[in-house]
Amino acid sequence: MVVRKMDHVGVMVSDLDASLLFYQKVVGLELKDQFTIANGARTLAFLGFNGSDETELELVYGGNPDLPAEGKVNHIAFLVDNIEEEFNRLKGLNVVFISDEIVTLPNGYRNFFVQGPDGEKVEFFQR
């Protein structure tokens, strides 16, 4: 079996409203759907880019109030066209930076990390 694309990433969150605000306003994702399951005990929110089903971020609220400091996922990566523009744009927002600068990896990719609302690492990278 060959994996051709990522379907979605699920992230446990402690404050759904704060996470929705972050991923919509900071990252630029759009809310595609939101509903409750497990007799209302959990809320699922699905976000994506430009109405596409190519990649989705699923925020899961409820069920486990004791999230580790870095959240339930080590990091989420978003591909950008211009890493310098994105770095400078986020510097102008109320975002906690993990990276002091843009790093160039051995394969030529460039990246930096910021912190999401639940302490999850959010990577922005350019190929």
Side-chain angles (χ1 to χ4, degrees), residues 85-105:
E85 281 182 14
E86 198 62 22
F87 188 84
N88 292 329
R89 183 184 76 84
L90 295 183
K91 280 289 188 185
L93 300 175
N94 188 21
V95 176
V96 176
F97 275 75
I98 297 169
S99 301
D100 294 328
E101 61 187 24
I102 298 168
V103 173
T104 300
L105 302 172

Side-chain angles (χ1 to χ4, degrees), residues 9-69:
V9 173
V11 178
M12 300 290 294
V13 299
S14 62
D15 183 333
L16 184 60
D17 291 334
S19 293
L20 284 170
L21 183 66
F22 177 84
Y23 286 105
Q24 290 178 87
K25 299 297 182 192
V26 173
V27 177
L29 292 166
E30 299 168 352
L31 182 63
K32 296 167 64 175
D33 201 1
Q34 180 175 330
F35 51 85
T36 61
I37 60 170
N39 295 323
R42 283 200 177 117
T43 301
L44 306 180
F46 295 87
L47 299 105
F49 290 111
N50 303 319
S52 170
D53 289 329
E54 181 72 21
T55 301
E56 281 187 335
L57 175 64
E58 176 186 357
L59 302 178
V60 181
Y61 173 72
N64 179 6
D66 300 319
L67 297 176

